[in-house]
Amino acid sequence: MIPFNKIYLTGKELSYIQTSHEIGNLSGDGGFTHKACAWLEDKTTSKKALITHSCTAALEMAAILADIAPGDEIIMPSYTFVSTANAFVLRGGIPVFVDIRPDTLNMDEKLIEAAITPRTKVIVPVHYAGVGCEMDTIMTIAKKYNLLVVEDAAQGVMSTYKGRALGSIGDIGAYSFHETKNIISGEGGAILVNQESLMSRAEIIREKGTNRSQFYRGQVDKYTWQDIGSSYLPGEDIAAFLFAQLEHAEEITQRRMAVWNTYHQALEHLEQKGVLRRPIIPQECQHNAHMYYILLESLAQRTELIKRFKKQDIHPTFHYIPLHNAPAGKKYARTHGELSNTEHISDCLLRLPLWVGLESRQQEVIDVMLT
Ligand SMILES: *Cc1c(COP(=O)(O)O)cnc(C)c1O
C-alpha cells in the first residue's frame, strides 16, 4: 500500500517533548514556543512570528486584526480550503471569490481590481502547492485601494517569491503545521505579523484578549482584559515537537524536492504526448515541494486513473471542491465573474503521493501512469 501522505519524524520530537515535561511548563509561550517563533522570524525575516494551534487560528486572528465588520468584503480564490473563508465569515465578512490562473492555480491577480467595491477590506492570496502568487501586482493593488493583504501561506513554509519568504510579504501571513503539510506538529500553525502597527494587538488577541505577553516580559505589573481575543496558542509539548521539525526544515524540503523532481522528469514525455499537464513554477518562485499534482483532460479520465491506482493499492487524491459551490459558500459568500478555471481544475486535478521516504517506492506510482 502507498498512502497519499505519511508523516516524517526527525527523531528529536520525543526528547524535546520530554524536556518540556522535565521543565514542568506545559502551557503555551514557554521555551520551545520562543525557540520556534525565533526560528520562524529568522528564516522568514518577518519581525513577529507567533505560533498558533492551527493555520485556521492564524487566519481567525488575521480577520480580527483586519477589523472585519459585518458586510465587509474579502477577495480570495474559491479554490482553497474552507478556513480561508470561514475565518472572515466568523466576523461577518463576505468572501468574494475570483477565478484562478490556469498555470499556477493561484488567484488570478488580473481579476482582483474589478472585484473591489467600497466594502472591500482585505485581499487573501492563497499560495497553492507552496507556489507563490503574483505578489508584486497584489501588493500594488492593495496599496492603491488601501487594503490589507493576508497571505494564506498554509502550504508555503520554506517557499519564496523573488527571494522573500511566502507569508512575509503581505501585512499578515498564516502557516500550517498540520500533519498533511511539510513541517508538522499534528495540528499547528503560525501567524507572521509583518506590519509594525499590528504586532502588539496580535499578541493580545492570541492571549485571550489580555496583555499577558507584556506581563511575562515585565513590561506591565499585572495583565488585564484589553481587547477581543481567544486562546490561539499551542501548549509547550506541541511547540517542542514543532521545533524538532523546524530544525530539520531544510533537509525535509530537499528530500521532498527530490521526490517532486523525480515525478516531474518521469512525466515529461506524457505531457509532451498530451496525456496530462505537469505543474508550472514561475521563474520568480522557489517552491517547497509541498504537492505534486497532475492535470488531466476530464473528470472521467481522472476517475479512471484513480481506479487504476487503487488496484495497485496506491492512494492519490483530488483536492478542493470549490467553495462557491458548497452549501456554506452559497450562504455566506459571493462570486465575481466566471469561475471556469476553478471548476475545471477541481474536476481534473490529481495529487500524487508525496512524502519523505517515498523514494524507494515512487517508481510503482509512476508505472501506473506509464502503462
Ligand atoms: C491546510 C490549509 C489550511 C488550514 O490549516 P490548519 O492548520 O489545518 O488549520 C488553510 N488554508 C490552506 C490553503 C491550507 O492548505
Side-chain angles (χ1 to χ4, degrees), residues 83-103:
S83 295
T84 318
N86 236 345
F88 293 92
V89 171
L90 277 168
R91 312 237 54 84
I94 302 169
V96 175
F97 299 128
V98 298
D99 208 0
I100 52 173
R101 289 163 48 148
D103 56 354

Side-chain angles (χ1 to χ4, degrees), residues 54-56 59 80-81 83-84 126 152 154-155 176 178 181 188 320:
S54 62
C55 179
T56 301
L59 290 165
T80 183
F81 188 64
S83 295
T84 318
V126 179
D152 183 339
Q155 303 172 17
S176 175
H178 185 265
K181 302 301 201 288
Y320 302 127

Side-chain angles (χ1 to χ4, degrees), residues 58-325:
L59 290 165
E60 287 181 18
M61 286 180 63
I64 297 173
L65 283 168
D67 276 326
I68 296 299
D72 287 344
E73 295 179 351
I74 305 94
I75 298 173
M76 64 177 69
S78 169
Y79 191 68
T80 183
F81 188 64
V82 290
S83 295
T84 318
N86 236 345
F88 293 92
V89 171
L90 277 168
R91 312 237 54 84
I94 302 169
V96 175
F97 299 128
V98 298
D99 208 0
I100 52 173
R101 289 163 48 148
D103 56 354
T104 57
L105 320 187
N106 282 329
M107 178 161 67
D108 189 339
E109 68 281 356
K110 292 187 297 301
L111 303 175
I112 293 171
E113 202 159 358
I116 293 172
T117 74
R119 292 308 305 263
T120 307
K121 270 235 174 116
V122 180
I123 305 172
V124 188
V126 179
H127 304 297
Y128 188 68
V131 178
C133 295
E134 183 30 57
M135 289 305 293
D136 277 356
T137 308
I138 292 170
M139 295 308 290
T140 303
I141 296 168
K143 204 163 186 193
K144 181 172 166 193
Y145 292 92
N146 198 23
L147 307 175
L148 223 56
V149 174
V150 175
E151 296 178 71
D152 183 339
Q155 303 172 17
V157 179
M158 302 295 283
S159 292
T160 60
Y161 166 85
K162 297 191 177 173
R164 298 168 70 191
L166 299 187
S168 75
I169 304 165
D171 301 283
I172 298 169
Y175 281 162
S176 175
F177 303 115
H178 185 265
E179 75 164 32
T180 53
K181 302 301 201 288
N182 290 19
I183 310 294
I184 64 172
S185 60
E187 303 283 350
I191 184 169
L192 303 186
V193 187
N194 307 318
Q195 204 196 98
E196 206 93 43
S197 63
L198 300 174
M199 288 176 190
S200 63
R201 193 168 178 226
E203 283 186 341
I204 289 168
I205 291 166
R206 177 170 166 275
E207 271 284 18
K208 300 95 179 165
T210 74
N211 55 347
R212 182 149 70 179
S213 300
Q214 288 177 318
F215 173 70
Y216 279 154
R217 287 195 297 263
Q219 292 163 331
V220 291
D221 57 12
K222 57 181 176 301
Y223 72 88
T224 54
W225 188 17
Q226 302 281 320
D227 201 334
I228 61 166
S230 190
S231 185
Y232 289 121
L233 66 167
E236 272 293 286
D237 44 355
I238 295 285
F241 190 110
L242 176 63
F243 187 62
Q245 292 262 318
L246 289 172
E247 284 186 317
H248 288 256
E250 296 282 355
E251 174 207 329
I252 291 169
T253 308
Q254 278 170 23
R255 291 187 64 184
R256 294 183 70 98
M257 196 60 81
V259 175
W260 198 99
N261 285 330
T262 300
Y263 278 137
H264 209 57
Q265 279 155 28
L267 300 177
E268 185 178 7
H269 81 278
L270 288 184
E271 183 176 72
Q272 282 163 1
K273 285 203 312 201
V275 175
L276 52 80
R277 207 210 79 190
R278 300 177 302 159
I280 294 169
I281 312 293
Q283 194 117 52
E284 57 272 22
C285 296
Q286 175 60 55
H287 72 103
N288 60 357
H290 173 60
M291 187 193 302
Y292 198 88
Y293 65 78
I294 53 172
L295 289 172
L296 300 157
E297 284 279 296
S298 64
L299 179 59
Q301 194 194 358
R302 183 178 75 183
T303 307
E304 198 270 330
L305 182 58
I306 291 175
K307 258 192 216 148
R308 272 163 50 204
F309 272 120
K310 292 254 160 85
K311 258 188 216 149
Q312 307 296 323
D313 214 1
I314 297 169
H315 299 271
T317 71
F318 47 84
H319 212 180
Y320 302 127
I321 309 299
L323 296 182
H324 70 283
N325 287 334

